[in-house]
Amino acid sequence: MSDTFVVAARIPMERQAFEQWLKTPAPGPETIENHGAMYDGWFWDGKTPDWRQAEEGITPREYFADCFGEDTGGLTYMLRYRAGALEAYLMHFGFCESNIYTALVMLAAAGRSSSEVAPSAVLFWAETSGSMFAADSGGWLATLLVGPDRARFAADFDLTATIAELRPAEASYFDLLVRLADVEESVGGEGESSFAAIARDPRYVDAAVLAEI
């Protein structure tokens, strides 16, 4: 099993809905109708999720803004609004349970603002490079379907379209990794501030995520 865990999603919505989501406190795991079935049918089939780890009552802006600073504790995040959709590609070095369960709940809530009736798939997997698997891979850890009416985990959803839609986010994530690696190789006295500046580049994080209200 890899040490790198990723949560990724592309959820169509209006810009106004994206900004409203950022300032709306996160619900509890009950927003996902079958939250106990998170791992059913995938690589960790039979594992019981620990939803006590999910933070409640904090807004996505409050939560995610802290993930784009100088010391992110093994997180490499991309969260933006692009081409009519919320795009997230959230990499965790290690199984950071609180981060992962909180992100899933917040993305489930984002689905309520989707501009499409068909559900969007939120993917969770482990892969050293951070790249996505093939659609028919058995290596996925969980697939969460989110939409205006419901959020639920599923093990029988065709991921082909989801993966294709997430390719631009994946490419931006790898661009971010390259830029961070370049800074690491030439780190100097301003190394930490350089890392933070790159992480906060609008190519990777929407300015509204970092806005102080």
Side-chain angles (χ1 to χ4, degrees):
M1 175 61 66
S2 167
D3 287 332
T4 299
F5 294 77
V6 186
V7 174
R10 187 176 194 278
I11 305 173
M13 63 178 63
E14 300 295 330
R15 174 74 199 191
Q16 182 178 4
F18 172 73
E19 297 196 9
Q20 181 62 43
W21 169 71
L22 285 174
K23 62 184 180 182
T24 302
E30 63 276 1
T31 196
I32 303 170
E33 63 182 39
N34 63 341
H35 55 276
M38 177 174 174
Y39 300 115
D40 290 3
W42 295 111
F43 189 80
W44 277 351
D45 192 28
K47 181 180 174 66
T48 301
D50 185 3
W51 289 103
R52 297 172 300 176
Q53 300 283 347
E55 294 194 35
E56 298 181 37
I58 187 172
T59 69
R61 175 180 286 121
E62 292 168 335
Y63 182 76
F64 285 115
D66 287 340
C67 299
F68 293 92
E70 295 180 1
D71 182 9
T72 58
L75 310 179
T76 303
Y77 276 12
M78 196 204 70
L79 181 65
R80 65 189 182 187
Y81 184 83
R82 188 191 71 85
L86 179 165
E87 288 187 339
Y89 211 93
L90 316 175
M91 188 281 283
H92 311 80
F93 185 73
F95 184 31
C96 305
E97 293 183 83
S98 179
N99 301 76
I100 289 165
Y101 290 121
T102 302
L104 288 171
V105 168
M106 289 186 172
L107 291 171
R112 298 174 181 174
S113 299
S114 176
S115 55
E116 295 184 3
V117 174
S120 301
V122 181
L123 306 180
F124 174 47
W125 74 98
E127 161 57 34
T128 300
S129 70
S131 57
M132 291 183 286
F133 296 134
D136 60 354
S137 171
W140 301 103
L141 297 179
T143 299
L144 174 65
L145 304 184
V146 305
D149 300 323
R150 64 195 303 204
R152 61 181 296 272
F153 288 104
D156 55 356
F157 188 76
D158 186 350
L159 300 178
T160 304
T162 298
I163 291 171
E165 291 168 354
L166 276 169
R167 289 301 184 193
E170 182 187 47
S172 292
Y173 162 75
F174 279 108
D175 179 68
L176 171 58
L177 289 187
V178 169
R179 294 185 63 194
L180 291 174
D182 288 344
V183 170
E184 186 173 13
E185 290 179 2
S186 59
V187 66
E190 299 180 358
E192 288 188 355
S193 60
S194 295
F195 277 116
I198 293 171
R200 290 170 173 260
D201 188 303
R203 284 176 284 184
Y204 314 120
V205 58
D206 194 282
V209 176
L210 305 176
E212 296 184 7
I213 304 301

PDB file of all heavy atoms in Angstrom, residues 7 17 40 50 52 102 108 118 126 130 159 167:
ATOM      1  N   VAL A   7      -7.694  12.419  -2.532  1.00  0.00           N
ATOM      2  CA  VAL A   7      -9.127  12.648  -2.726  1.00  0.00           C
ATOM      3  C   VAL A   7      -9.256  13.617  -3.890  1.00  0.00           C
ATOM      4  O   VAL A   7      -8.598  14.667  -3.902  1.00  0.00           O
ATOM      5  CB  VAL A   7      -9.786  13.249  -1.471  1.00  0.00           C
ATOM      6  CG1 VAL A   7     -11.250  13.609  -1.751  1.00  0.00           C
ATOM      7  CG2 VAL A   7      -9.700  12.282  -0.294  1.00  0.00           C
ATOM      8  N   ALA A  17     -22.435  29.568  -6.370  1.00  0.00           N
ATOM      9  CA  ALA A  17     -22.632  28.398  -5.519  1.00  0.00           C
ATOM     10  C   ALA A  17     -21.311  27.949  -4.902  1.00  0.00           C
ATOM     11  O   ALA A  17     -21.265  27.522  -3.736  1.00  0.00           O
ATOM     12  CB  ALA A  17     -23.253  27.266  -6.333  1.00  0.00           C
ATOM     13  N   ASP A  40     -16.859  -0.467   1.138  1.00  0.00           N
ATOM     14  CA  ASP A  40     -17.484  -1.683   0.634  1.00  0.00           C
ATOM     15  C   ASP A  40     -17.240  -1.860  -0.872  1.00  0.00           C
ATOM     16  O   ASP A  40     -17.489  -0.951  -1.668  1.00  0.00           O
ATOM     17  CB  ASP A  40     -18.993  -1.667   0.895  1.00  0.00           C
ATOM     18  CG  ASP A  40     -19.334  -1.805   2.367  1.00  0.00           C
ATOM     19  OD1 ASP A  40     -18.397  -1.858   3.192  1.00  0.00           O
ATOM     20  OD2 ASP A  40     -20.529  -1.840   2.692  1.00  0.00           O
ATOM     21  N   ASP A  50     -13.820   5.569  10.277  1.00  0.00           N
ATOM     22  CA  ASP A  50     -13.925   6.229  11.583  1.00  0.00           C
ATOM     23  C   ASP A  50     -14.362   7.679  11.356  1.00  0.00           C
ATOM     24  O   ASP A  50     -13.533   8.591  11.298  1.00  0.00           O
ATOM     25  CB  ASP A  50     -12.586   6.177  12.312  1.00  0.00           C
ATOM     26  CG  ASP A  50     -12.669   6.749  13.717  1.00  0.00           C
ATOM     27  OD1 ASP A  50     -13.786   7.137  14.136  1.00  0.00           O
ATOM     28  OD2 ASP A  50     -11.629   6.830  14.387  1.00  0.00           O
ATOM     29  N   ARG A  52     -15.634   9.681  13.285  1.00  0.00           N
ATOM     30  CA  ARG A  52     -15.359  10.592  14.409  1.00  0.00           C
ATOM     31  C   ARG A  52     -14.220  11.544  14.057  1.00  0.00           C
ATOM     32  O   ARG A  52     -14.055  12.598  14.697  1.00  0.00           O
ATOM     33  CB  ARG A  52     -14.998   9.798  15.659  1.00  0.00           C
ATOM     34  CG  ARG A  52     -16.111   8.898  16.191  1.00  0.00           C
ATOM     35  CD  ARG A  52     -15.608   8.003  17.295  1.00  0.00           C
ATOM     36  NE  ARG A  52     -14.535   7.129  16.837  1.00  0.00           N
ATOM     37  CZ  ARG A  52     -13.858   6.293  17.615  1.00  0.00           C
ATOM     38  NH1 ARG A  52     -14.145   6.225  18.909  1.00  0.00           N
ATOM     39  NH2 ARG A  52     -12.886   5.538  17.119  1.00  0.00           N
ATOM     40  N   THR A 102     -12.874  14.624   6.583  1.00  0.00           N
ATOM     41  CA  THR A 102     -13.424  15.983   6.519  1.00  0.00           C
ATOM     42  C   THR A 102     -13.603  16.420   5.076  1.00  0.00           C
ATOM     43  O   THR A 102     -14.641  17.004   4.715  1.00  0.00           O
ATOM     44  CB  THR A 102     -12.508  16.971   7.262  1.00  0.00           C
ATOM     45  OG1 THR A 102     -12.363  16.562   8.620  1.00  0.00           O
ATOM     46  CG2 THR A 102     -13.088  18.381   7.229  1.00  0.00           C
ATOM     47  N   ALA A 108     -19.210  16.166  -0.197  1.00  0.00           N
ATOM     48  CA  ALA A 108     -20.598  15.696  -0.224  1.00  0.00           C
ATOM     49  C   ALA A 108     -21.551  16.882  -0.130  1.00  0.00           C
ATOM     50  O   ALA A 108     -22.563  16.946  -0.846  1.00  0.00           O
ATOM     51  CB  ALA A 108     -20.850  14.713   0.919  1.00  0.00           C
ATOM     52  N   ALA A 118     -27.262  14.605 -12.724  1.00  0.00           N
ATOM     53  CA  ALA A 118     -26.454  13.385 -12.636  1.00  0.00           C
ATOM     54  C   ALA A 118     -25.385  13.557 -11.558  1.00  0.00           C
ATOM     55  O   ALA A 118     -24.798  14.636 -11.424  1.00  0.00           O
ATOM     56  CB  ALA A 118     -25.806  13.092 -13.979  1.00  0.00           C
ATOM     57  N   ALA A 126      -5.031   5.303  -3.060  1.00  0.00           N
ATOM     58  CA  ALA A 126      -3.640   5.394  -2.608  1.00  0.00           C
ATOM     59  C   ALA A 126      -2.725   5.004  -3.760  1.00  0.00           C
ATOM     60  O   ALA A 126      -2.896   3.943  -4.362  1.00  0.00           O
ATOM     61  CB  ALA A 126      -3.412   4.454  -1.419  1.00  0.00           C
ATOM     62  N   GLY A 130       0.565   9.620  -6.992  1.00  0.00           N
ATOM     63  CA  GLY A 130      -0.591  10.505  -6.917  1.00  0.00           C
ATOM     64  C   GLY A 130      -1.444  10.473  -8.166  1.00  0.00           C
ATOM     65  O   GLY A 130      -2.457  11.164  -8.235  1.00  0.00           O
ATOM     66  N   LEU A 159     -16.318   4.723 -13.810  1.00  0.00           N
ATOM     67  CA  LEU A 159     -15.480   5.888 -13.531  1.00  0.00           C
ATOM     68  C   LEU A 159     -14.822   6.474 -14.778  1.00  0.00           C
ATOM     69  O   LEU A 159     -14.062   7.442 -14.666  1.00  0.00           O
ATOM     70  CB  LEU A 159     -14.393   5.507 -12.524  1.00  0.00           C
ATOM     71  CG  LEU A 159     -14.888   4.996 -11.163  1.00  0.00           C
ATOM     72  CD1 LEU A 159     -13.704   4.618 -10.293  1.00  0.00           C
ATOM     73  CD2 LEU A 159     -15.762   6.031 -10.477  1.00  0.00           C
ATOM     74  N   ARG A 167      -8.612  14.830 -15.622  1.00  0.00           N
ATOM     75  CA  ARG A 167      -7.253  14.898 -16.169  1.00  0.00           C
ATOM     76  C   ARG A 167      -6.634  16.291 -16.060  1.00  0.00           C
ATOM     77  O   ARG A 167      -5.444  16.410 -15.726  1.00  0.00           O
ATOM     78  CB  ARG A 167      -7.240  14.413 -17.614  1.00  0.00           C
ATOM     79  CG  ARG A 167      -7.453  12.914 -17.788  1.00  0.00           C
ATOM     80  CD  ARG A 167      -6.394  12.079 -17.056  1.00  0.00           C
ATOM     81  NE  ARG A 167      -6.574  10.646 -17.319  1.00  0.00           N
ATOM     82  CZ  ARG A 167      -5.979   9.693 -16.643  1.00  0.00           C
ATOM     83  NH1 ARG A 167      -5.141   9.991 -15.651  1.00  0.00           N
ATOM     84  NH2 ARG A 167      -6.186   8.413 -16.938  1.00  0.00           N
TER      85      ARG A 167
END
